[in-house]
Amino acid sequence: MTDPIADYLTRLRNAIMAHHRVVEVPASNLKKSITKILFEKGYILNYKFIEDGPQGSIKVALKYDPVTKQSAIKKLKRVSTPGLRQYTGCKDMPRVINGLGIAILSTSKGVMTDKEAAAEKIGGEVLCYIY
């Protein structure tokens, strides 16, 4: 697999399209950090790290509106790929739907959202947009 982050986002996207409640993805430290951010920002209901074997897995409980049955995540978009890395500085941080969505960045101080990176005045690799 050349792009594990794209695989992670695609598994989430496919589970949302099929209206699944829970999706299981192979774990890595980067995926764990992205999952924690999604939970803190209210895009997923819950998550659980399962340590089985050398790699382990992440169980993600997806969040849906109880009335309209729509997912809390409208769109997941991969920005930086292994073939074309996208970096940003603190001055020109991307704004996802005028501040309503989040951009997840991999910085020198760990994985964080665009707002947290702007507050700490650091840039990094733009992993994905979520709204």
Side-chain angles (χ1 to χ4, degrees):
M1 187 181 329
T2 58
D3 194 359
I5 303 305
D7 177 64
Y8 172 76
L9 296 175
T10 302
R11 285 177 192 238
L12 285 178
R13 198 178 303 117
N14 289 344
I16 289 167
M17 295 295 277
H19 295 285
H20 288 286
R21 292 277 173 218
V22 177
V23 62
E24 192 167 341
V25 293
S28 72
N29 288 336
L30 188 59
K31 291 178 195 174
K32 287 179 183 179
S33 301
I34 293 172
T35 306
K36 285 178 186 172
I37 290 173
L38 289 176
F39 178 70
E40 288 167 4
K41 298 300 175 187
Y43 286 105
I44 59 174
L45 199 61
N46 209 345
Y47 64 92
K48 185 177 182 182
F49 301 136
I50 300 166
E51 302 295 330
D52 56 341
Q55 188 176 11
S57 62
I58 307 169
K59 276 194 176 182
V60 179
L62 299 172
K63 188 176 186 179
Y64 295 97
D65 187 276
V67 179
T68 61
K69 306 289 189 232
Q70 285 189 333
S71 173
I73 300 173
K74 303 290 181 254
K75 189 152 186 161
L76 295 160
K77 184 181 178 199
R78 180 77 160 119
V79 178
S80 182
T81 61
L84 181 63
R85 301 286 187 192
Q86 299 288 331
Y87 295 97
T88 184
C90 65
K91 300 273 190 238
D92 48 293
M93 202 62 69
R95 287 177 56 90
V96 184
I97 18 178
N98 211 16
L100 294 176
I102 62 169
I104 297 180
L105 278 74
S106 175
T107 67
S108 57
K109 294 186 180 177
V111 179
M112 60 182 69
T113 65
D114 52 345
K115 291 173 185 66
E116 293 168 353
E120 292 195 28
K121 291 189 171 58
I122 54 173
E125 181 183 354
V126 183
L127 297 176
C128 59
Y129 295 153
I130 297 167
Y131 54 92

